[in-house]
Amino acid sequence: MKCKYHKFEKLSSGQWLPSELLTIMKMNIVSVTPHDVIVADTTDLTRPSDSLQHDSANISFCYPQINVERYFYDYEYDNTLRKRDVGHIKLDMDENAYYKSDTYWNDNRYVPLSEEDENAYKLVDSISSETHLDKLANLTSVIINGYIPIWIFDMPIDFLAKLNNREKLRLGIGLETNARMSKYFSLGGFWGWGLKDKKAKWGIYAKVLVDKRTDFRVMSGYSRNIGKTGSSEPIYSGANLFDPETYRQYLGSTWEMIGTEFVDVSIRPFSNFMFSAGFHVSNKKPMYDYQYAVSNSDNIIVTRNDFNFTTLNLGVRFAYNEKFVMTSTGLKSQGTKFPILILDYQRGMNGVLHGEYEYNKIEANLSGRYSVGEKGRFTFELAGGYIDSDIPYPNLFVPLAGYSPLTYFAPRAFGTMRVGEFVGDLYAYVFLQYDFGNIFNRKGIFRPSPSLVFNYGYGNLINGSLERHLGIEAGTMEKGFYEAGFLVNDLLGVSYMAFGLGVMYRFGYYSFPAVWDNIALKFTVTM
């Protein structure tokens, strides 16, 4: 049970505002014996040794009540302040707060620590030391933030190991200077070696945080890395292992070796909008048997498999009422309950810094997540794109395919589609998922959570011809691609992770004659 009590004070301006907030959390203890069931309210029990006894049942109580006290002071009241003036920063943390001495806190603490408070801190510290809670907290930070802090460096876990169908396993290392060296400037680099393709991948980059409040950032660098056909992925994702989106990078694909020089800029000048711009000069060489026919005359076909692109990239992200926490390294999103809209535009430039293809590429994405009732959750994503010119396969739209007889489930991917099965310069995708939550109210390692999935895809090649793309067997999906699935998450929970199983089924025009070929078994990973 939780109770809240407020205390208000009247300011000199005549306004009443809260000065204290007391939250009391009380625990009810339940003990079951072979013959008796006893429920006791522990409100009046104050010592760990207090107990109630009834026949053969004994109930012992430890720490039955927790009080959380908050104090509000040094108000600056302005009755002209409007809601839109508050902005998108929910909490602004003093970047030096962590380094303040005990003397500073003793001089500025609104309510001095009592002997009981000091003993409580000592108890927590001793428990933390004995049970290694500090190490557990560090591990949690690594999993959430995606890097391991080492003195003035951060080591992104993204670079330590990668799994994909091209390299099988890549081992490597990456380092990036952190705020201990500079709060506004960092240098980074990575190196990795694929065990299957036996090729090195590497990159160097620099980042500048120009302004924290608008999250104005500039990043520039060079990388020689492999990339998925039709995708534009960052130099590293800053992987959050709690996020199922992370596992999309492990899905199968066709790959190119890409050398890229780039400059990217992003800024959040308004609370709901983020703008980005980039200039990229890239060379892409397919790592599969592909040739692009550049001419066909007198029964002679001239082809090439090495492509140079110079592109200007513009983007805008709109997230209404998204809130942020200001940290020493910039803004950290707290999310929003409204849908998020992302628009991207890419201009290919012929004759600029070795660029060979002129085109316009537009993509739009609308996604959202909503709670339904106490436990249900509905997730959706609508996406579409268009390219106005005939360009080589590496820069066309290739749907993210996730088929294998047994593989992990990844959101925003087609679980029964084969790698390289479809291509287009026009597409529209729909991804829907409804999670029923823990409908059985189970606790412990077994707490099944069923989920329904439906995916739809449309695509076509309207500004070119498949005959120009030699060596691939991709088609178009103008008839519409359909699949649905049933997942049961959290069948087994271990520490941070929970695992489940599911099945996806492909139907409609592009289904296969054999039923088993339309089925893909999935396992799920949730955090």
Side-chain angles (χ1 to χ4, degrees):
M1 182 175 65
K2 182 184 290 186
C3 303
K4 288 188 176 182
Y5 303 93
H6 291 81
K7 180 180 178 181
F8 291 81
E9 289 185 358
K10 189 175 183 179
L11 303 184
S12 58
S13 60
Q15 301 295 325
W16 287 90
L17 292 172
S19 59
E20 295 181 24
L21 171 61
L22 172 62
T23 303
I24 301 176
M25 289 174 282
K26 302 178 181 179
M27 296 178 287
N28 293 326
I29 306 298
V30 179
S31 178
V32 181
T33 69
H35 304 290
D36 302 283
V37 177
I38 297 178
V39 180
D41 189 341
T42 65
T43 303
D44 297 327
L45 298 176
T46 58
R47 299 189 306 276
S49 60
D50 289 338
S51 64
L52 294 179
Q53 185 170 347
H54 182 278
D55 294 337
S56 60
N58 291 286
I59 305 177
S60 297
F61 303 96
C62 294
Y63 312 107
Q65 180 172 301
I66 300 175
N67 294 352
V68 179
E69 301 176 32
R70 297 180 182 179
Y71 301 91
F72 307 91
Y73 54 95
D74 291 344
Y75 276 106
E76 294 182 9
Y77 181 76
D78 184 356
N79 59 6
T80 64
L81 190 65
R82 298 162 298 180
K83 184 177 180 179
R84 64 174 179 265
D85 296 328
V86 176
H88 55 286
I89 300 177
K90 185 178 181 180
L91 176 64
D92 194 346
M93 300 171 60
D94 188 332
E95 58 189 47
N96 297 314
Y98 181 79
Y99 305 101
K100 298 295 185 182
S101 65
D102 291 341
T103 302
Y104 172 87
W105 292 116
N106 290 333
D107 292 341
N108 290 274
R109 185 174 280 112
Y110 189 70
V111 177
L113 289 179
S114 65
E115 182 179 355
E116 184 179 358
D117 294 330
E118 293 180 350
N119 289 336
Y121 280 120
K122 291 179 181 178
L123 175 62
V124 171
D125 288 341
S126 63
I127 293 176
S128 175
S129 176
E130 187 68 24
T131 60
H132 306 292
L133 288 179
D134 53 340
K135 295 181 180 179
L136 184 61
N138 290 337
L139 175 61
T140 303
S141 175
V142 169
I143 293 174
I144 293 176
N145 296 320
Y147 60 81
I148 303 170
I150 305 175
W151 188 40
I152 63 172
F153 298 101
D154 289 337
M155 180 184 293
I157 60 178
D158 226 16
F159 295 138
L160 297 179
K162 289 180 179 288
L163 295 171
N164 57 64
N165 63 320
R166 177 65 196 181
E167 301 168 297
K168 294 301 182 184
L169 174 64
R170 183 204 298 188
L171 300 177
I173 190 172
L175 287 177
E176 179 179 312
T177 61
N178 58 30
R180 288 193 171 186
M181 179 175 175
S182 172
K183 297 173 183 176
Y184 302 100
F185 180 83
S186 66
L187 294 173
F190 72 92
W191 183 91
W193 179 264
L195 298 187
K196 181 184 177 182
D197 65 358
K198 302 190 184 322
K199 292 182 182 294
K201 295 85 183 176
W202 59 276
I204 55 174
Y205 54 90
K207 297 179 180 179
V208 179
L209 177 60
V210 181
D211 180 58
K212 288 200 306 180
R213 300 198 70 83
T214 58
D215 210 22
F216 183 14
R217 299 174 182 268
V218 179
M219 181 177 179
S220 181
Y222 174 82
S223 68
R224 183 165 179 79
N225 200 359
I226 64 171
K228 292 181 179 180
T229 301
S231 69
S232 178
E233 297 180 348
I235 195 167
Y236 85 95
S237 65
N240 174 356
L241 298 185
F242 282 128
D243 189 350
E245 295 285 343
T246 299
Y247 299 98
R248 297 176 70 248
Q249 64 180 304
Y250 302 123
L251 294 180
S253 181
T254 53
W255 300 80
E256 283 87 39
M257 177 61 74
I258 307 174
T260 303
E261 302 170 69
F262 65 93
V263 177
D264 290 323
V265 179
S266 64
I267 187 171
R268 189 182 301 276
F270 313 112
S271 59
N272 299 321
F273 289 91
M274 181 174 182
F275 298 95
S276 61
F279 186 78
H280 293 207
V281 178
S282 304
N283 172 264
K284 295 188 177 183
K285 185 174 180 58
M287 305 177 77
Y288 46 93
D289 186 17
Y290 170 73
Q291 298 286 332
Y292 180 62
V294 295
S295 65
N296 187 348
S297 61
D298 298 328
N299 296 321
I300 299 176
I301 301 176
V302 179
T303 64
R304 61 180 306 179
N305 66 347
D306 189 287
F307 311 101
N308 296 313
F309 297 95
T310 299
T311 61
L312 173 67
N313 307 287
L314 303 175
V316 58
R317 179 180 182 273
F318 175 73
Y320 179 71
N321 205 32
E322 185 175 21
K323 297 301 181 182
F324 296 85
V325 172
M326 175 67 74
T327 70
S328 60
T329 57
L331 298 177
K332 302 296 182 183
S333 175
Q334 300 296 294
T336 175
K337 62 181 180 179
F338 297 96
I340 297 174
L341 175 64
I342 299 175
L343 300 175
D344 288 309
Y345 169 75
Q346 184 179 95
R347 172 66 176 175
M349 294 177 283
N350 183 22
V352 178
L353 296 178
H354 309 294
E356 299 171 309
Y357 303 94
E358 184 171 324
Y359 62 93
N360 297 291
K361 185 176 186 178
I362 302 172
E363 292 187 85
N365 182 289
L366 181 69
S367 62
R369 178 179 298 179
Y370 295 97
S371 297
V372 181
E374 293 185 359
K375 298 180 179 180
R377 185 177 64 185
F378 174 67
T379 305
F380 77 91
E381 178 170 331
L382 310 177
Y386 173 69
I387 302 171
D388 67 352
S389 300
D390 183 9
I391 59 176
Y393 181 68
N395 269 27
L396 291 174
F397 297 126
V398 179
L400 187 56
Y403 173 77
S404 182
L406 174 62
T407 188
Y408 33 79
F409 172 79
R412 300 190 298 115
F414 294 100
T416 62
M417 185 182 293
R418 276 56 174 174
V419 171
E421 188 174 356
F422 297 104
V423 66
D425 54 23
L426 173 69
Y427 79 87
Y429 303 150
V430 177
F431 299 100
L432 306 176
Q433 183 173 352
Y434 184 82
D435 190 342
F436 292 90
N438 184 1
I439 60 176
F440 300 109
N441 295 316
R442 296 278 305 182
K443 296 182 179 180
I445 64 173
F446 179 70
R447 46 185 188 276
S449 175
S451 180
L452 296 176
V453 177
F454 173 79
N455 299 330
Y456 167 79
Y458 168 86
N460 209 341
L461 190 65
I462 61 177
N463 291 304
S465 171
L466 287 172
E467 284 71 26
R468 295 193 67 179
H469 305 279
L470 308 178
I472 61 173
E473 298 181 358
T476 57
M477 52 179 183
E478 65 271 17
K479 302 293 185 181
F481 182 92
Y482 299 87
E483 65 179 16
F486 177 71
L487 311 172
V488 183
N489 303 309
D490 298 352
L491 286 176
L492 177 64
V494 180
S495 187
Y496 289 104
M497 305 181 72
F499 303 91
L501 293 172
V503 61
M504 300 285 293
Y505 184 76
R506 172 172 174 164
F507 60 97
Y509 182 85
Y510 296 106
S511 61
F512 296 108
V515 173
W516 179 252
D517 291 336
N518 296 307
I519 296 174
L521 301 179
K522 302 291 179 179
F523 64 85
T524 67
V525 181
T526 54
M527 302 289 184

